[in-house]
Amino acid sequence: MKLPMLILASGSPRRSGLLRQLTLDFQVIPGESTEIHHEQLTARELCQVNAYRKARSVAKRHPDALVLGADTLVCLENELLGKPADRAEAREMLERLQGRTHEVITGVCLMQLRSHRQKIFVECSQVTFKPLTEERIDRYLASINPLDKAGAYAIQENGDQIVENVAGSFSNVVGLPIERLRQELDSW
């Protein structure tokens, strides 16, 4: 696959790790845009807009590069669960998710300003949590840092303690839908 220089517009170690699975050379330059949250936009629309904003903030400084921006949200019955502000909010999120199925949505933007090309897409996965006791939630929260994770959990970090089933892309739940990204990069 012959691509222009690839830049990941995210400082997420999870996204870097997933992108390395594609055996591509890339640089990490986090985007400098504030994520927007607007009640009139759906979760899918928000993810796409935020992924675009992240990619664009980096692409303006590197117009010849192919810039990849991504944004992930957890959605429970049309309510968005972002990153918790503290451990109490993380606990509350896990209590709400326990025993239920929610959606993990990732918007991805591929952008090369010099050639005026861009591709924006969204990937959705359904995640079902196990019924959780207070003790199990405490144990899980003690094993990870929930504050930098949408929905207060990381499926790749002791996820088997809390997750019963994933329908759709597992890598999407981690933060970057590698299967779909590979297809889009192949057609670039």
Side-chain angles (χ1 to χ4, degrees):
M1 173 175 356
K2 180 67 178 143
L3 294 170
M5 179 179 69
L6 181 63
I7 296 175
L8 175 62
S10 170
S12 164
R14 294 168 296 282
R15 288 194 176 116
S16 290
L18 288 167
L19 194 53
R20 271 194 288 285
Q21 291 178 19
L22 295 180
T23 62
L24 297 171
D25 290 328
F26 64 95
Q27 293 181 6
V28 173
I29 303 175
E32 297 173 3
S33 66
T34 305
E35 291 181 4
I36 64 163
H37 299 281
H38 196 285
E39 63 277 349
Q40 292 184 344
L41 295 176
T42 67
R44 292 169 194 234
E45 291 167 337
L46 278 172
C47 285
Q48 289 177 77
V49 167
N50 285 323
Y52 170 85
R53 290 168 53 87
K54 291 173 185 180
R56 177 114 178 136
S57 74
V58 173
K60 288 194 296 191
R61 292 177 280 141
H62 302 276
D64 293 314
L66 174 56
V67 180
L68 189 165
D71 187 58
T72 302
L73 288 172
V74 170
C75 188
L76 178 65
E77 295 180 354
N78 296 323
E79 182 182 350
L80 301 180
L81 302 179
K83 297 172 185 171
D86 53 35
R87 290 188 83 72
E89 188 177 6
R91 163 178 278 295
E92 180 184 306
M93 285 182 183
L94 294 179
E95 287 171 350
R96 293 181 58 225
L97 292 169
Q98 68 92 22
R100 300 170 78 185
T101 299
H102 62 276
E103 200 168 35
V104 177
I105 303 160
T106 302
V108 177
C109 177
L110 293 167
M111 175 183 293
Q112 185 182 35
L113 280 184
R114 182 80 63 212
S115 66
H116 304 288
R117 288 182 70 187
Q118 76 178 27
K119 174 70 178 186
I120 301 174
F121 63 91
V122 128
E123 193 71 29
C124 301
S125 302
Q126 285 69 43
V127 179
T128 303
F129 267 32
K130 297 174 180 178
L132 303 175
T133 62
E134 283 188 33
E135 295 77 28
R136 184 175 266 183
I137 290 173
D138 286 338
R139 223 177 13 257
Y140 182 73
L141 289 174
S143 71
I144 68 154
N145 172 15
L147 302 184
D148 68 341
K149 296 160 183 71
Y153 76 96
I155 196 164
Q156 74 281 6
E157 294 178 32
N158 303 316
D160 58 323
Q161 293 179 20
I162 59 173
V163 174
E164 184 174 293
N165 183 51
V166 175
S169 167
F170 182 88
S171 67
N172 181 57
V173 181
V174 178
L176 194 61
I178 288 300
E179 306 85 1
R180 174 76 185 273
L181 179 60
R182 181 186 313 267
Q183 292 172 359
E184 297 298 340
L185 289 172
D186 284 345
S187 67
W188 191 267

